[in-house]
Amino acid sequence: MAFNNAGRFQPFEQKVWLSSPTMHGEEMEYVREAYQTNWMSTVGENIDRIETLAREKSGCKHAVALSAGTAALHMAMKLAGQELYGQPSVGYGALEGKRVFASDLTFDATVNPIIYENGIPVFIDTEEDTWNMDPVALEKAFEIYPEVKLVVMAHLYGTPGKMNELNAVCERHKAIIVEDAAESLGATYKGKQTGSFGKYNCISYNGNKIITGSAGGMLLTDSVEAANKVRKWSTQAREAAPWYQHEELGYNYRMSNVIAGVVRGQYPYLEEHIALKKAIYERYKEGLKDLPVRMNPYDTENSEPNFWLSCLFIDKDAMCKQIRGETDVCYVKEAGKSCPTEILEALAFINAEGRPIWKPMHMQPIYRMNGFITRGGNGRAMTNAYMEGSVTDVSMDIFNRGFCLPSDNKMTTGQQDMIINVIRACFE
Ligand SMILES: *Cc1c(COP(=O)(O)O)cnc(C)c1O
């Protein structure tokens, strides 16, 4: 199904990506250095340097470079689980049978590490002001499950969540926060870096993030004991002995010194990338301001996002009918109205990459049996009502009416203007 104004637009010769890596040259120097000095390993100068850079940037006392952001989140779940519930027997997870509150509107990498440690995620609905975990719903969740002691929250698309409110709720219930700052490196809340609010925090250097090593992640914490544990666990949990002696379960999660070279070359460009992403966001905002849409919102007083992805949210009255099944979607075109599906198809037609919002975790088949808490309490009751078409939770509302715009920092202003015109055409 091509969009109705296809004839007016000529597809880009070169694809405009959602968010692709942007290299600067230094990366290659550090990779070459690793090669020439033969530190083709999971130890070396590049790793030491980026751990220092991550520490300095975040303000956290310790940083451990790992193979992925997901690995960092796994280590964070293990640390928190052992701190709260003790060391598990071999074959059991550190969160064995324990509920953990988690962001609902996020990538599943935020949540899966709870399962790696045999915990039970309970999803918390989203607030409309920043599209992150709703502190009111979180408070409600503690009413329903007062035994919960761990909360993992993500900063969606680089926009800081309501850290003051979330911290206050967690302090009241003596719960540990793990921050998933995979998407929000460089974003600040009240002048403080995201990835420094939680007890254990994670960032990612995956290929599409604001800076990248092609892969990689970092665990951040103020606790030296925690950092040392992660250094040990991530290198197969070797004990201090002349041979390979093991008292604990180990992992091969350490970052390669070659990857670290790429990350090292990228760090000096973090602020430049953020400035480019912000300019893209502002251009979209200006170019689409008279349409019945809004950009992904943020707290303009307290936070400065990294603007990793620009997103659009369509007014209720301007949505044409769009129906999503588990793997398929269709929509009915209406004059003056549009929907994410129509616009994403139109963008694909001109060779530009947009993307649906992360499908909420509580709607994922793998998590269909897990709890979901809204401001009103049991969100699963709401899910049923949603199926009948009457009401919806905030996460599903954003999934239904929102989508990610092409946000590549190498997109030209001419290309962005065309993207804006294509979106405008969808509302004709
Ligand atoms: C990318 C991402 C991760 C995982 O990072 P990897 O380095 O790809 O493992 C985790 N959480 C969120 C929200 C992400 O966007």
Side-chain angles (χ1 to χ4, degrees), residues 205-236:
Y205 306 111
N206 184 38
N208 66 3
K209 300 283 155 61
I210 191 103
I211 59 168
T212 181
S214 73
M218 189 75 73
L219 180 115
L220 298 164
T221 180
D222 281 337
S223 158
V224 63
E225 294 82 14
N228 286 340
K229 274 186 199 165
V230 172
R231 285 181 199 284
K232 180 185 169 191
W233 292 339
S234 62
T235 50
Q236 302 292 16

mmCIF file of all heavy atoms in Angstrom, residues 205-236:
data_model
loop_
_atom_site.group_PDB
_atom_site.id
_atom_site.type_symbol
_atom_site.label_atom_id
_atom_site.label_comp_id
_atom_site.label_asym_id
_atom_site.label_seq_id
_atom_site.Cartn_x
_atom_site.Cartn_y
_atom_site.Cartn_z
ATOM 1 N N TYR A 205 26.698 1.360 23.922
ATOM 2 C CA TYR A 205 27.414 1.894 22.756
ATOM 3 C C TYR A 205 27.040 1.096 21.513
ATOM 4 O O TYR A 205 27.851 0.910 20.597
ATOM 5 C CB TYR A 205 28.931 1.836 22.992
ATOM 6 C CG TYR A 205 29.387 2.499 24.267
ATOM 7 C CD1 TYR A 205 29.883 1.737 25.328
ATOM 8 C CD2 TYR A 205 29.316 3.878 24.437
ATOM 9 C CE1 TYR A 205 30.306 2.335 26.506
ATOM 10 C CE2 TYR A 205 29.734 4.490 25.610
ATOM 11 C CZ TYR A 205 30.234 3.709 26.648
ATOM 12 O OH TYR A 205 30.647 4.298 27.814
ATOM 13 N N ASN A 206 25.811 0.583 21.489
ATOM 14 C CA ASN A 206 25.307 -0.139 20.321
ATOM 15 C C ASN A 206 25.323 0.790 19.090
ATOM 16 O O ASN A 206 25.327 2.010 19.231
ATOM 17 C CB ASN A 206 23.887 -0.620 20.638
ATOM 18 C CG ASN A 206 23.321 -1.471 19.527
ATOM 19 O OD1 ASN A 206 24.036 -2.255 18.914
ATOM 20 N ND2 ASN A 206 22.047 -1.310 19.252
ATOM 21 N N GLY A 207 25.313 0.194 17.910
ATOM 22 C CA GLY A 207 25.510 0.935 16.665
ATOM 23 C C GLY A 207 24.588 2.103 16.419
ATOM 24 O O GLY A 207 24.966 3.056 15.739
ATOM 25 N N ASN A 208 23.359 2.071 16.917
ATOM 26 C CA ASN A 208 22.449 3.179 16.600
ATOM 27 C C ASN A 208 22.352 4.208 17.728
ATOM 28 O O ASN A 208 21.592 5.159 17.633
ATOM 29 C CB ASN A 208 21.063 2.649 16.217
ATOM 30 C CG ASN A 208 20.359 1.978 17.376
ATOM 31 O OD1 ASN A 208 20.875 1.947 18.492
ATOM 32 N ND2 ASN A 208 19.179 1.445 17.120
ATOM 33 N N LYS A 209 23.129 4.054 18.786
ATOM 34 C CA LYS A 209 23.026 4.987 19.917
ATOM 35 C C LYS A 209 23.753 6.304 19.628
ATOM 36 O O LYS A 209 24.399 6.438 18.593
ATOM 37 C CB LYS A 209 23.560 4.311 21.182
ATOM 38 C CG LYS A 209 22.777 3.031 21.562
ATOM 39 C CD LYS A 209 21.450 3.306 22.218
ATOM 40 C CE LYS A 209 20.400 2.231 22.091
ATOM 41 N NZ LYS A 209 20.656 0.927 22.641
ATOM 42 N N ILE A 210 23.692 7.240 20.554
ATOM 43 C CA ILE A 210 24.178 8.604 20.283
ATOM 44 C C ILE A 210 25.691 8.630 19.998
ATOM 45 O O ILE A 210 26.153 9.380 19.150
ATOM 46 C CB ILE A 210 23.766 9.571 21.422
ATOM 47 C CG1 ILE A 210 24.023 11.026 21.056
ATOM 48 C CG2 ILE A 210 24.431 9.219 22.751
ATOM 49 C CD1 ILE A 210 22.809 11.788 20.668
ATOM 50 N N ILE A 211 26.463 7.812 20.720
ATOM 51 C CA ILE A 211 27.828 7.480 20.286
ATOM 52 C C ILE A 211 27.946 5.964 20.347
ATOM 53 O O ILE A 211 27.196 5.307 21.072
ATOM 54 C CB ILE A 211 28.949 8.149 21.128
ATOM 55 C CG1 ILE A 211 28.860 7.753 22.599
ATOM 56 C CG2 ILE A 211 28.976 9.647 20.931
ATOM 57 C CD1 ILE A 211 30.093 8.150 23.414
ATOM 58 N N THR A 212 28.886 5.412 19.583
ATOM 59 C CA THR A 212 28.899 3.951 19.443
ATOM 60 C C THR A 212 30.309 3.378 19.360
ATOM 61 O O THR A 212 31.248 4.068 18.962
ATOM 62 C CB THR A 212 28.110 3.533 18.186
ATOM 63 O OG1 THR A 212 28.125 2.112 18.084
ATOM 64 C CG2 THR A 212 28.723 4.119 16.925
ATOM 65 N N GLY A 213 30.404 2.113 19.741
ATOM 66 C CA GLY A 213 31.633 1.360 19.522
ATOM 67 C C GLY A 213 31.379 0.264 18.506
ATOM 68 O O GLY A 213 32.191 -0.633 18.343
ATOM 69 N N SER A 214 30.229 0.296 17.867
ATOM 70 C CA SER A 214 29.592 -0.749 17.049
ATOM 71 C C SER A 214 28.868 -1.721 17.961
ATOM 72 O O SER A 214 27.884 -2.352 17.582
ATOM 73 C CB SER A 214 30.577 -1.497 16.139
ATOM 74 O OG SER A 214 31.408 -2.369 16.880
ATOM 75 N N ALA A 215 29.327 -1.835 19.182
ATOM 76 C CA ALA A 215 28.675 -2.605 20.251
ATOM 77 C C ALA A 215 29.317 -2.125 21.547
ATOM 78 O O ALA A 215 30.238 -1.322 21.527
ATOM 79 C CB ALA A 215 28.905 -4.094 20.058
ATOM 80 N N GLY A 216 28.826 -2.641 22.656
ATOM 81 C CA GLY A 216 29.449 -2.315 23.938
ATOM 82 C C GLY A 216 28.498 -1.659 24.907
ATOM 83 O O GLY A 216 27.442 -1.147 24.519
ATOM 84 N N GLY A 217 28.858 -1.730 26.176
ATOM 85 C CA GLY A 217 28.047 -1.109 27.222
ATOM 86 C C GLY A 217 28.915 -0.784 28.413
ATOM 87 O O GLY A 217 30.107 -1.117 28.436
ATOM 88 N N MET A 218 28.317 -0.118 29.397
ATOM 89 C CA MET A 218 29.074 0.295 30.579
ATOM 90 C C MET A 218 28.163 0.213 31.794
ATOM 91 O O MET A 218 27.008 0.637 31.737
ATOM 92 C CB MET A 218 29.552 1.737 30.384
ATOM 93 C CG MET A 218 30.521 2.254 31.400
ATOM 94 S SD MET A 218 32.216 1.638 31.231
ATOM 95 C CE MET A 218 32.848 2.492 29.806
ATOM 96 N N LEU A 219 28.702 -0.347 32.862
ATOM 97 C CA LEU A 219 27.995 -0.314 34.135
ATOM 98 C C LEU A 219 28.596 0.804 34.980
ATOM 99 O O LEU A 219 29.821 0.919 35.072
ATOM 100 C CB LEU A 219 28.146 -1.647 34.880
ATOM 101 C CG LEU A 219 27.411 -1.615 36.221
ATOM 102 C CD1 LEU A 219 26.271 -2.611 36.241
ATOM 103 C CD2 LEU A 219 28.337 -1.820 37.395
ATOM 104 N N LEU A 220 27.732 1.622 35.575
ATOM 105 C CA LEU A 220 28.171 2.759 36.383
ATOM 106 C C LEU A 220 27.647 2.621 37.800
ATOM 107 O O LEU A 220 26.473 2.278 38.004
ATOM 108 C CB LEU A 220 27.625 4.066 35.780
ATOM 109 C CG LEU A 220 28.094 4.409 34.368
ATOM 110 C CD1 LEU A 220 27.189 5.486 33.765
ATOM 111 C CD2 LEU A 220 29.543 4.870 34.376
ATOM 112 N N THR A 221 28.507 2.880 38.763
ATOM 113 C CA THR A 221 28.071 2.799 40.167
ATOM 114 C C THR A 221 29.050 3.583 41.040
ATOM 115 O O THR A 221 30.195 3.818 40.647
ATOM 116 C CB THR A 221 27.990 1.329 40.648
ATOM 117 O OG1 THR A 221 27.562 1.307 41.998
ATOM 118 C CG2 THR A 221 29.339 0.622 40.537
ATOM 119 N N ASP A 222 28.596 3.960 42.229
ATOM 120 C CA ASP A 222 29.493 4.595 43.192
ATOM 121 C C ASP A 222 30.146 3.566 44.109
ATOM 122 O O ASP A 222 31.015 3.905 44.906
ATOM 123 C CB ASP A 222 28.712 5.611 44.052
ATOM 124 C CG ASP A 222 28.486 6.903 43.292
ATOM 125 O OD1 ASP A 222 29.264 7.182 42.355
ATOM 126 O OD2 ASP A 222 27.527 7.628 43.629
ATOM 127 N N SER A 223 29.707 2.315 44.019
ATOM 128 C CA SER A 223 30.188 1.286 44.940
ATOM 129 C C SER A 223 31.400 0.542 44.363
ATOM 130 O O SER A 223 31.306 -0.114 43.321
ATOM 131 C CB SER A 223 29.049 0.292 45.224
ATOM 132 O OG SER A 223 29.573 -0.935 45.677
ATOM 133 N N VAL A 224 32.515 0.629 45.067
ATOM 134 C CA VAL A 224 33.722 -0.054 44.602
ATOM 135 C C VAL A 224 33.538 -1.570 44.679
ATOM 136 O O VAL A 224 34.001 -2.311 43.799
ATOM 137 C CB VAL A 224 34.990 0.414 45.382
ATOM 138 C CG1 VAL A 224 34.895 0.086 46.862
ATOM 139 C CG2 VAL A 224 36.249 -0.210 44.790
ATOM 140 N N GLU A 225 32.821 -2.051 45.701
ATOM 141 C CA GLU A 225 32.590 -3.495 45.839
ATOM 142 C C GLU A 225 31.789 -4.001 44.643
ATOM 143 O O GLU A 225 32.094 -5.053 44.074
ATOM 144 C CB GLU A 225 31.813 -3.819 47.130
ATOM 145 C CG GLU A 225 32.553 -3.521 48.424
ATOM 146 C CD GLU A 225 32.463 -2.061 48.839
ATOM 147 O OE1 GLU A 225 31.610 -1.309 48.271
ATOM 148 O OE2 GLU A 225 33.239 -1.643 49.721
ATOM 149 N N ALA A 226 30.754 -3.238 44.277
ATOM 150 C CA ALA A 226 29.910 -3.643 43.146
ATOM 151 C C ALA A 226 30.733 -3.686 41.862
ATOM 152 O O ALA A 226 30.660 -4.648 41.089
ATOM 153 C CB ALA A 226 28.737 -2.686 43.004
ATOM 154 N N ALA A 227 31.541 -2.649 41.653
ATOM 155 C CA ALA A 227 32.354 -2.588 40.434
ATOM 156 C C ALA A 227 33.314 -3.779 40.391
ATOM 157 O O ALA A 227 33.483 -4.413 39.338
ATOM 158 C CB ALA A 227 33.121 -1.270 40.377
ATOM 159 N N ASN A 228 33.914 -4.099 41.518
ATOM 160 C CA ASN A 228 34.856 -5.232 41.552
ATOM 161 C C ASN A 228 34.154 -6.553 41.285
ATOM 162 O O ASN A 228 34.696 -7.431 40.614
ATOM 163 C CB ASN A 228 35.595 -5.271 42.893
ATOM 164 C CG ASN A 228 36.632 -4.168 42.969
ATOM 165 O OD1 ASN A 228 37.061 -3.632 41.935
ATOM 166 N ND2 ASN A 228 37.029 -3.803 44.181
ATOM 167 N N LYS A 229 32.944 -6.703 41.837
ATOM 168 C CA LYS A 229 32.178 -7.926 41.563
ATOM 169 C C LYS A 229 31.915 -8.069 40.068
ATOM 170 O O LYS A 229 32.058 -9.153 39.505
ATOM 171 C CB LYS A 229 30.832 -7.891 42.309
ATOM 172 C CG LYS A 229 30.921 -8.418 43.729
ATOM 173 C CD LYS A 229 29.539 -8.480 44.346
ATOM 174 C CE LYS A 229 29.669 -8.537 45.855
ATOM 175 N NZ LYS A 229 28.406 -8.238 46.538
ATOM 176 N N VAL A 230 31.519 -6.965 39.427
ATOM 177 C CA VAL A 230 31.207 -7.034 37.996
ATOM 178 C C VAL A 230 32.472 -7.327 37.191
ATOM 179 O O VAL A 230 32.441 -8.102 36.228
ATOM 180 C CB VAL A 230 30.506 -5.747 37.513
ATOM 181 C CG1 VAL A 230 30.357 -5.744 35.997
ATOM 182 C CG2 VAL A 230 29.140 -5.618 38.171
ATOM 183 N N ARG A 231 33.600 -6.763 37.586
ATOM 184 C CA ARG A 231 34.860 -7.090 36.898
ATOM 185 C C ARG A 231 35.132 -8.593 36.993
ATOM 186 O O ARG A 231 35.570 -9.222 36.028
ATOM 187 C CB ARG A 231 36.030 -6.317 37.512
ATOM 188 C CG ARG A 231 36.046 -4.865 37.113
ATOM 189 C CD ARG A 231 37.227 -4.103 37.699
ATOM 190 N NE ARG A 231 36.925 -2.681 37.664
ATOM 191 C CZ ARG A 231 36.964 -1.926 36.564
ATOM 192 N NH1 ARG A 231 37.324 -2.474 35.418
ATOM 193 N NH2 ARG A 231 36.632 -0.655 36.602
ATOM 194 N N LYS A 232 34.861 -9.149 38.156
ATOM 195 C CA LYS A 232 35.105 -10.583 38.356
ATOM 196 C C LYS A 232 34.089 -11.427 37.579
ATOM 197 O O LYS A 232 34.472 -12.308 36.790
ATOM 198 C CB LYS A 232 35.030 -10.887 39.851
ATOM 199 C CG LYS A 232 35.255 -12.344 40.200
ATOM 200 C CD LYS A 232 35.051 -12.582 41.701
ATOM 201 C CE LYS A 232 35.022 -14.074 42.004
ATOM 202 N NZ LYS A 232 34.580 -14.345 43.375
ATOM 203 N N TRP A 233 32.797 -11.155 37.791
ATOM 204 C CA TRP A 233 31.752 -11.956 37.121
ATOM 205 C C TRP A 233 31.904 -11.924 35.598
ATOM 206 O O TRP A 233 31.684 -12.924 34.929
ATOM 207 C CB TRP A 233 30.362 -11.434 37.480
ATOM 208 C CG TRP A 233 29.968 -11.631 38.918
ATOM 209 C CD1 TRP A 233 30.484 -12.526 39.801
ATOM 210 C CD2 TRP A 233 28.953 -10.895 39.623
ATOM 211 N NE1 TRP A 233 29.849 -12.399 41.017
ATOM 212 C CE2 TRP A 233 28.905 -11.420 40.942
ATOM 213 C CE3 TRP A 233 28.073 -9.871 39.285
ATOM 214 C CZ2 TRP A 233 28.017 -10.937 41.910
ATOM 215 C CZ3 TRP A 233 27.182 -9.388 40.240
ATOM 216 C CH2 TRP A 233 27.162 -9.919 41.544
ATOM 217 N N SER A 234 32.266 -10.738 35.068
ATOM 218 C CA SER A 234 32.282 -10.568 33.602
ATOM 219 C C SER A 234 33.504 -11.221 32.968
ATOM 220 O O SER A 234 33.606 -11.277 31.750
ATOM 221 C CB SER A 234 32.222 -9.088 33.247
ATOM 222 O OG SER A 234 33.360 -8.414 33.761
ATOM 223 N N THR A 235 34.443 -11.687 33.771
ATOM 224 C CA THR A 235 35.605 -12.418 33.236
ATOM 225 C C THR A 235 35.622 -13.835 33.800
ATOM 226 O O THR A 235 36.625 -14.325 34.290
ATOM 227 C CB THR A 235 36.918 -11.688 33.572
ATOM 228 O OG1 THR A 235 36.929 -11.381 34.979
ATOM 229 C CG2 THR A 235 37.037 -10.388 32.811
ATOM 230 N N GLN A 236 34.472 -14.478 33.786
ATOM 231 C CA GLN A 236 34.277 -15.891 34.168
ATOM 232 C C GLN A 236 34.459 -16.168 35.657
ATOM 233 O O GLN A 236 34.676 -17.311 36.062
ATOM 234 C CB GLN A 236 35.187 -16.833 33.357
ATOM 235 C CG GLN A 236 35.000 -16.747 31.848
ATOM 236 C CD GLN A 236 33.675 -17.250 31.334
ATOM 237 O OE1 GLN A 236 32.725 -17.423 32.101
ATOM 238 N NE2 GLN A 236 33.562 -17.474 30.036
#
